[in-house]
Amino acid sequence: MQQDVFEKNYELENRYWWYLSRRYVFDKVLANFFLGSPEKKILDVGCGSGGAIPMLEKYGRVLGLDIAPQALEFCRSKGFQNVAMVKGPYDTGQLDQSADLVTLFDVLEHFEDDERAIREAHRVLKVSGYILVSVPAFMFLWSDLDDANHHFRRYTKRELEQKLKDSGFEIMK
């Protein structure tokens, strides 16, 4: 992602309607499907500048993971110390079956091999774990913003569901 995009996200994530409303939706989904507790381990993969971390902390211990040093600098500037650099684009550096929840909020489209990224999420999840994914929709909506964010694709519901199923996930919603 370009540096100016990180800066814009950091600047807007706590006041722009799009960021606020999607976190509201994620919170409602988690409240309905995920029984949080202080012992639950949550991996926020591609945490960016940390906008979702406070919401996720209501459900367990959050570790924000990102590949971009700038993203982690923004997180730390907000006081988040529970962030770490991933080992590589397809290696979270986490143990097998160590997480109760993995979030991929507008992250999959950044991976050239998104199926490999999904398999990594599946690897680190406990058997009873959950994944919460959001992605941009429909290739016909591709714009300069997708280019600026270094996206590889946009998705249809069917495409995303199939990739998740092929990696061993059961779709709940």
Side-chain angles (χ1 to χ4, degrees):
M1 204 182 300
Q2 296 174 358
Q3 178 67 21
D4 59 328
V5 175
F6 275 119
E7 291 170 3
K8 185 59 79 177
N9 288 347
Y10 176 76
E11 176 187 320
L12 295 175
E13 70 185 358
N14 288 318
R15 60 185 172 94
Y16 188 61
W17 70 268
W18 185 82
Y19 293 100
L20 297 174
S21 60
R22 70 183 225 156
R23 280 198 305 268
Y24 175 83
V25 169
F26 298 154
D27 189 22
K28 293 301 177 194
V29 169
L30 287 171
N32 285 320
F33 289 98
F34 184 73
L35 183 60
S37 70
E39 306 84 44
K40 299 285 183 171
K41 180 178 179 181
I42 300 169
L43 300 178
D44 185 17
V45 178
C47 65
S49 53
I53 291 175
M55 180 272 298
L56 291 171
E57 286 177 329
K58 296 185 330 188
Y59 298 95
R61 293 175 293 110
V62 180
L63 176 60
L65 298 171
D66 212 290
I67 197 166
Q70 311 96 307
L72 300 179
E73 288 173 24
F74 280 122
C75 287
R76 290 185 182 111
S77 75
K78 293 178 179 179
F80 300 131
Q81 298 305 313
N82 53 330
V83 295
M85 184 82 65
V86 294
K87 287 187 170 187
Y90 304 102
D91 184 357
T92 60
Q94 301 300 302
L95 298 174
D96 290 355
Q97 299 184 9
S98 62
D100 298 286
L101 171 67
V102 171
T103 62
L104 296 162
F105 298 146
D106 295 292
V107 172
L108 278 181
E109 64 275 9
H110 295 276
F111 288 97
E112 189 168 4
D113 186 349
D114 58 347
E115 293 173 12
R116 187 172 172 195
I118 293 169
R119 287 192 305 271
E120 173 63 6
H122 191 272
R123 181 189 70 77
V124 300
L125 269 176
K126 293 178 180 176
V127 173
S128 60
Y130 291 84
I131 185 171
L132 181 55
V133 180
S134 66
V135 293
F138 306 117
M139 285 301 292
F140 69 82
L141 294 176
W142 191 271
S143 72
D144 292 342
L145 190 56
D146 292 290
D147 292 325
N149 281 294
H150 299 196
H151 292 175
F152 285 96
R153 75 201 56 77
R154 287 173 160 264
Y155 295 83
T156 65
K157 180 181 176 184
R158 184 174 301 187
E159 288 170 325
L160 181 58
E161 284 180 345
Q162 191 59 55
K163 288 180 183 212
L164 289 165
K165 287 178 184 176
D166 289 347
S167 294
F169 286 102
E170 173 188 343
I171 308 299
M172 295 183 66
K173 182 151 180 73

